[in-house]
Every structure is written in structure tokens, then in C-alpha cells.
Amino acid sequence: ALPASLVRWGGLVGGRWVEAPAVFPVQDPASGEELGRVADCGAAKAREAVRAAHDAGASWGRLPAKERSVRLRRWYELMIENKDELARIITAENGKPLKEAQGEILYSASFLEWFAEEARRVYGDIIPASAKDRRILVLKQPVGVAAIITPWNFPSAMITRKVGAALAAGCTVVVKPAEDTPLSALALGELANQAGIPAGVYNVVPCSRQQTSAVGEVLCTDPLVAKISFTGSTATGKILLKHAAGTVKRVSMELGGHAPFIVFDSANVDHAVAGALASKYRNSGQTCVCTNRFLVQKGIHDKFVEKFAKAIEGELRVGSGFDENTTQGPLINEKAVEKVERHINDAVSQGASIVTGGKRHSLGKNFFEPTLLSNVTTKMLCTQEETFGPLAPVIKFDTEEEAIAIANAANVGLAGYFYSQDPAQIWRVAEQLEVGMVGVNEGIISSVESPFGGVKQSGLGREGSKYGIDEYLEIKYVCIGGL
């Protein structure tokens, strides 16, 4: 059962829970059952939310940083107090195992804690002037209203990573959550109200897939919106960039990935297998930084594949996210399952071998077996596109130069991983991989202290870390003369 204390079915605009002319269903991806119906906030409600955020912006931005910090800290504390209830909401609407959902809530809350502290560290500068009767000051000020558009795979963390920074900087926000997972965003809104976040500072406009385009266009074109922050596909990001260009909005985007995972002959194979399992199959492979291509050097290729297959078969359990033994929940919907099937069928038709898995799970619905492929080539779809599912294709390579060339051939570059015990090789490869984040002998690299973001068509800007708050700040130069 969903926790009644935190589940809300209306939008949140100006501190009030609002209804819409229509509603849309939210479904459990494990069973297909309807969890409930949420207000389908269209373009008009989106504009109303933008106005509410704009009206609240002046007073929120003028609050002393310490006061914003205190309220963010209280929001964090409420998330921790309600962590089990928030996790149950994630598992219900997203499907991920409850343990993973609990981990997401702790990760999500940590961004509110981090940026509550960073709010008091937005420093300006005094620059020595070339004229003795002048002084040069540099101030940092909030950009204004930020539109936050988030995906379904981390329905809580993708919000707090953006909103924590925005509110710490003095901005106000309008959140458009994914249509598959709006309940987490609304639950955060309930806790924001309880934490004393002023009306209009945090607004949520849930909407159906049919309304998404219109709402997204409003958020990207309304002149009162100063900033767009989006996490999602590269294709959608490009559309939002075009919309935002008309009013020259500040934009930060975390887009698609195609992460390589390279295992060199010098690697500790057992450590590499453990890292591969964590990197590939977390959230059933539905993360933007999860490995999409495994490149294994010929000297240890067979050994790695054998041990990886045993680990998959021995350690992964498919089932409902509410079953404590489950490590692999369902995929988000039928479309996601079909993409995994398409990639497997294409690979097998071109000579790839199924080592383990390879088909829909007997549980039916959106469940799919964790799958490992060998004899994979760079001509196969699974090595050219992001699968976003529990599929691990393994490519055999000969030399370090060949591995780097394959890894860098993609037009995206979010995360990359490699395993090696050669210090010189570690430096070379870490510097040459064309990605925004590198895991060396590590399969899980995300943390609140670290800058998260990519290069190439994987996006613009960075989230988290000390750099994350800069995305919501303008730099103002003040020249004081006649001194």
C-alpha cells in the first residue's frame, strides 16, 4: 500500500494542491495495476506554476543564505525521517528493488544536505583595478525561475540534485516529472511544504505523455523562465534546446550515455566482474551511467566471460521490487522490453552468442532475464545504441589503442569505466577516454561531492559537487568609480 501521508494526486502550484481538467493513470510496472490517477496539468497550469515561481522569487532570493540553508536542511531531515515511505513510492511507480529505492532516497536527500551547506558558500570577488579611483566587485546572484524536467529512472534523486542547487542559489523552480513516476516529485512537494519552503518556491506540474510536449514548450519558451535543467534522452534534449534558444535561456542537460567498460589483461578479474555486475545491472540496466558496452582484452576474455556469467546466474534474482530477495525488478514498460529484444535479436542474427539469459522472464509483464552476449562486434545495434536494459554485450579487443578507439567512437560521452593494475596505463586511459566521468577499478562512481555530467552529445553543465550551484548563478560585475 502507498503511504497515504505522502501520496498526493494533484499538482503543486504556489503552495497549493491543484486539480486539472483531466487525470492520467500511474501504473505499477511489475503488475501493470493502476496505482491511482494524477492531475494532468497542461500548458495553462504550467504557465500558472511559472508565474507562482516568479512571484516567489524576489523574496526567496533576498533571504539570507543562512535562512535558505536552514530550510533546505529541514527538508533533508524530513526526507530521512520518511525514507521508508519515500522508498515504497519509488518501488511502486518505478519497479526497482526496495533496497535500491532506499539507497536512492539516501542519495537524493544527500543533495539537499550538501546544497544546504553550499548555500552559505556563494562567494564573490574583489579584483584589483587598474585605476586608483575605482574598485571592481564581482557578485553572484540567482538566475531566476528554473524549469526542472526529470526522468523516471531516478524519480527522486534527479529532482533533488537539481532543486537543491537551485534553491540554495536563491532560485525558484517548476518541476515537470516523468509521466511514469510523478508520485515521488509530489511526495517531495509535501515534505517541502512541511519544511517551510515558501509557497511558490517549489512547484510541480505532473502531466501525461500526451501533454508533455505542450508543457515542455511552455517551460522552455516562457520569458519568465530563466533556466532549463533537463535529464533525459539526447533527442529530447535537442528539442528543448531549440525551444530555449528563442529567449536565450541558461541550459544544463544530462543526456544519453553509451558507457564503455574496458577490462585490460592486467586487471584483477574478480574485481572487474564485481564492478561489471554493479555497473550493468543496477536498476535492471536502466541508468544513464550504466555500462552499455564491455570491451575485454583477449588475454583474459574467456576467463572474464565465464566468471561474469556465473555471477549473473548466481547473484541476480528477478522479481517484484517489494520481494526482499529481488535484485532485478521489471523494466519500466513494454517499449523498454521490446528494445532489449530488438538489440538481442540483431546481435544474434550477426553472429553473437547468448551466454546466459536472452528472453523475457517467466514472470511475464515487463520482466526480462539478465543477459550476457559474447562474440559481439561494433556493427551490432547493442554497441551503437544505448539499450537501457539488462543486456551486457562483450567485445574482444587486442590492444589498448584499439579499446580507446572503440570507446571514443560514440557521439556521446557521459561515463566510462576500466579495470587495470598498470599505473601508467591508468593515467593514459583516464586522460584519453572522451567522457565526463571515469571509474577506474570502480563500477559505481556517483556521489554528492563529485561533478556529474558528460561531454559531446551527453550534455551541458555539471550537477552535484561544489560546481553544481554555479549552474543557477549569474555573475555580475560592479565598477565603483569616483573614489
Side-chain angles (χ1 to χ4, degrees), residues 436-437 447-453 462-468:
M437 300 173 285
S447 70
V448 67
E449 302 87 358
S450 308
F452 192 103
R462 293 296 182 268
E463 295 182 336
S465 78
K466 69 175 184 177
Y467 304 104

Side-chain angles (χ1 to χ4, degrees), residues 32-329:
E33 294 179 359
E34 186 176 298
L35 299 171
R37 291 176 175 258
V38 175
D40 194 359
C41 296
K45 275 286 183 283
R47 283 190 288 269
E48 185 181 332
V50 169
R51 170 60 65 181
H54 181 264
D55 291 346
S59 58
W60 177 252
R62 283 197 299 264
L63 275 181
K66 182 178 180 180
E67 289 191 34
R68 293 199 300 272
S69 175
V70 167
R71 298 190 196 195
L72 282 170
R73 177 77 191 188
R74 181 55 186 149
W75 197 5
Y76 156 76
E77 291 169 349
L78 287 170
M79 284 195 70
I80 297 301
E81 291 171 17
N82 292 273
K83 62 182 185 298
D84 293 335
E85 291 80 4
L86 291 168
R88 282 163 54 201
I89 292 173
I90 289 178
T91 296
E93 64 178 351
N94 169 280
K96 67 175 61 176
L98 191 57
K99 287 182 180 178
E100 281 193 27
Q102 290 166 341
E104 179 180 344
I105 291 302
L106 295 178
Y107 180 57
S108 176
S110 72
F111 285 105
L112 297 183
E113 179 187 38
W114 174 268
F115 286 113
E117 296 164 352
E118 288 297 292
R120 302 180 69 181
R121 299 184 177 91
V122 177
Y123 303 137
D125 285 304
I126 297 177
I127 300 173
S130 56
K132 64 182 181 180
D133 63 343
R134 292 184 181 180
R135 298 294 183 269
I136 297 174
L137 283 68
V138 175
L139 310 179
K140 292 185 179 180
Q141 297 179 316
V143 298
V145 176
I148 307 295
I149 305 174
T150 57
W152 52 262
N153 59 336
F154 287 90
S156 181
M158 296 302 96
I159 291 174
T160 58
R161 192 162 70 187
K162 300 172 187 295
V163 170
L167 269 59
C171 297
T172 56
V173 300
V174 177
V175 177
K176 205 295 284 182
E179 59 272 12
D180 294 298
T181 56
L183 300 181
S184 291
L186 296 169
L188 288 175
E190 172 59 28
L191 293 180
N193 285 349
Q194 293 180 25
I197 302 297
V201 171
Y202 177 85
N203 305 274
V204 185
V205 284
C207 68
S208 64
R209 184 170 281 105
Q210 291 73 23
Q211 295 272 28
T212 291
S213 178
V215 170
E217 185 171 349
V218 166
L219 296 180
C220 290
T221 58
D222 193 306
L224 296 181
V225 175
K227 158 83 180 183
I228 304 292
S229 181
F230 170 71
T231 294
S233 71
T234 298
T236 301
K238 290 178 180 179
I239 294 171
L240 298 181
L241 277 170
K242 289 180 181 178
H243 285 317
T247 47
V248 196
K249 299 189 190 306
R250 287 275 296 275
V251 176
S252 57
M253 297 202 166
E254 189 248 295
L255 306 178
H258 192 37
F261 188 109
I262 308 171
V263 186
F264 292 103
D265 283 344
S266 67
N268 181 311
V269 176
D270 291 332
H271 290 174
V273 167
L277 202 69
S279 176
K280 174 70 256 185
Y281 294 106
R282 184 167 61 111
N283 199 18
S284 299
Q286 300 173 115
T287 82
C288 49
V289 293
C290 78
T291 299
N292 208 63
R293 304 168 287 160
F294 288 89
L295 287 68
V296 184
Q297 201 159 12
K298 61 180 181 180
I300 60 167
H301 173 274
D302 294 349
K303 184 178 181 181
F304 175 85
V305 170
E306 179 185 357
K307 290 194 171 190
F308 196 13
K310 287 182 179 178
I312 292 169
E313 294 166 353
E315 298 182 34
L316 301 184
R317 297 285 182 273
V318 178
S320 165
F322 287 106
D323 184 336
E324 63 180 12
N325 295 316
T326 293
T327 64
Q328 301 288 284

Side-chain angles (χ1 to χ4, degrees), residues 417-429:
Y417 309 86
F418 69 92
Y419 276 69
S420 170
Q421 293 184 313
D422 179 341
Q425 184 175 60
I426 288 173
W427 278 110
R428 289 194 304 269
V429 176

